[in-house]
Amino acid sequence: MEYKMELGAWNSIFAVPSVIVDKHLKLAGAAQLKVLLWFLRHAGENVSVSDISSALSMQEADVRDCMQYWMQTGIICINDNVISPSEIKNSVKENDLTEQKQPLTEPESSNKTSEAENTVSATEKTDKKRHLSRPERPDTNYINERIKTDESIAFLMRSADDIFGRMTSNSDKATLLLINEYDGLPVEIIIMLLQYALSIGKCNMRYIEKIAINWADNDITTLEAAEKKIKELTSGRNAARYVQKIIGADEHSPTEMESEFADAWVNKWNFSSDMIREAYERCVNSKGKYIPKYVNSILCRWNNAGIKKLEQIPKDKKKPKPLETYEGTYDISEYESSSIIDGKW
């Protein structure tokens, strides 16, 4: 007797490394994922760039760029035209750990020198943090040299072109290189930032640089930290648009301050639309216009007092104004005795 299990479309399956989903699903573009999936599907077969290009209707140059991405990220490596899983980085790390475990035989003075060098190095890293006072920007020759010698920088510049949908200028490239080399943001974090800027319609390099400096100063240098920050920024912007609808304001791209205030009102303090509207109306009645900072002060006071409903808001106690007395500048008795009253002219 023979048995057979029919799995339908699952009869033919192939493996995809977990790291692709865990770390690269958000970073990699659609073309890069398509190339990798096609290549994994045809593992063990002899394929060429032209084969992949034909199967996916892509340019051969784009296919090479996609394969280069997966080599750069350490997913695959190529030796003698044979592609295999990359294990070089792991073996290097293991050798490094083995060497570190061995006892040091250098003289004590050498250790002190090494410690001093480490202290200087740490100080230099700390001093690298900057605000918008820019250091000297890299020139075109330096940028081109870095692109030629460092594939990760070349990949960053290509990704920026793809995200912006245009060729980035030398000034844009200089800013991106500065963010990477001076501020210390890794290439993958910069790409995430560029994608976020595109999603909110702020693909200007001045805005991107400002956010990048803030991320560097707050040690947002890992994928997890960047993802968390982007969620916070997105939450604030959504809250700001919600507030715009409540108060009937013209829809516009929220400022950073508006997003921060709205995030507090909606997501942290959990005020209803009625409470936000009431605070807005009080602001307009008092100041003649909408001032987010003033509305925030009202809602902050209510939140601290535990006031969450309209009926809980204390009534304004206003003292009635005293009636004003009016003193005439003439003598009424003299007026009554005048000839005008008698009709005499």
Side-chain angles (χ1 to χ4, degrees), residues 2-3 13 22 31 39 45 68 72 82 86 99 105 119 132 168 173 189 198 217 220-221 234 265 280 282:
E2 296 181 351
Y3 297 96
I13 61 176
D22 296 342
F39 196 79
E45 302 177 16
Q68 187 65 43
Q72 182 64 35
V82 176
S86 178
E99 291 177 0
T105 57
T119 303
L132 288 180
T168 50
K173 288 182 171 65
I189 304 302
L198 175 66
D217 287 347
I220 302 175
T221 55
T234 302
W265 306 343
Y280 164 76
R282 291 183 177 224

Side-chain angles (χ1 to χ4, degrees), residues 100-345:
Q100 291 176 4
K101 292 179 181 179
Q102 295 177 356
L104 297 176
T105 57
E106 296 180 357
E108 184 178 355
S109 58
S110 176
N111 291 338
K112 290 182 179 179
T113 302
S114 178
E115 291 174 1
E117 290 175 350
N118 290 337
T119 303
V120 172
S121 177
T123 304
E124 289 175 350
K125 289 181 180 179
T126 303
D127 292 339
K128 265 191 172 185
K129 290 185 177 181
R130 65 181 171 98
H131 297 283
L132 288 180
S133 55
R134 301 179 181 179
E136 183 177 352
R137 301 175 69 80
D139 59 23
T140 303
N141 292 334
Y142 181 75
I143 295 171
N144 292 336
E145 183 65 23
R146 294 289 288 116
I147 292 175
K148 290 179 181 178
T149 59
D150 191 330
E151 178 54 35
S152 65
I153 298 299
F155 175 69
L156 171 61
M157 301 307 174
R158 290 195 301 269
S159 298
D161 291 344
D162 293 340
I163 293 170
F164 292 157
R166 59 175 173 81
M167 293 293 293
T168 50
S169 64
N170 286 333
S171 177
D172 292 342
K173 288 182 171 65
T175 299
L176 293 174
L177 193 58
L178 207 61
I179 292 172
N180 174 256
E181 295 190 343
Y182 192 85
D183 296 310
L185 285 191
V187 167
E188 61 269 22
I189 304 302
I190 299 175
I191 293 175
M192 286 186 70
L193 175 54
L194 296 179
Q195 291 171 337
Y196 170 73
L198 175 66
S199 70
I200 63 174
K202 289 191 174 183
C203 284
N204 66 84
M205 200 56 66
R206 183 62 173 168
Y207 173 81
I208 292 168
E209 183 180 21
K210 178 182 176 182
I211 299 300
I213 293 170
N214 177 270
W215 285 17
D217 287 347
N218 290 281
D219 295 324
I220 302 175
T221 55
T222 64
L223 294 176
E224 293 77 11
E227 182 180 354
K228 180 180 178 181
K229 185 62 178 178
I230 289 175
K231 285 183 178 179
E232 291 176 359
L233 293 173
T234 302
S235 176
R237 290 181 62 82
N238 291 339
R241 295 194 182 281
Y242 174 67
V243 170
Q244 287 174 358
K245 293 181 180 179
I246 291 174
I247 66 178
D250 294 334
E251 186 172 337
H252 61 274
S253 182
T255 65
E256 187 175 344
M257 180 185 68
E258 287 176 328
S259 297
E260 289 178 358
F261 283 154
D263 186 51
W265 306 343
V266 177
N267 299 321
K268 296 177 182 177
W269 299 341
N270 299 314
F271 276 116
S272 66
S273 58
D274 291 339
M275 293 292 286
I276 295 174
R277 179 74 188 181
E278 177 67 19
Y280 164 76
E281 291 180 351
R282 291 183 177 224
C283 170
V284 174
N285 291 338
S286 176
K287 301 297 182 181
K289 61 180 180 179
Y290 173 46
I291 304 176
K293 191 173 183 179
Y294 188 85
V295 173
N296 185 69
S297 66
I298 296 174
L299 292 174
C300 182
R301 185 171 66 251
W302 289 349
N303 180 69
N304 292 337
I307 299 172
K308 296 295 181 179
K309 298 181 180 179
L310 291 177
E311 55 267 26
Q312 295 177 323
I313 301 175
K315 300 292 183 180
D316 291 336
K317 297 179 180 180
K318 297 182 179 180
K319 296 181 180 180
K321 294 182 179 180
L323 295 175
E324 296 181 355
T325 57
Y326 179 76
E327 296 182 359
T329 58
Y330 52 84
D331 188 344
I332 189 62
S333 59
E334 181 180 352
Y335 176 76
E336 290 176 346
S337 62
S338 67
S339 59
I340 297 177
I341 298 298
D342 297 333
K344 297 177 180 179
W345 300 93

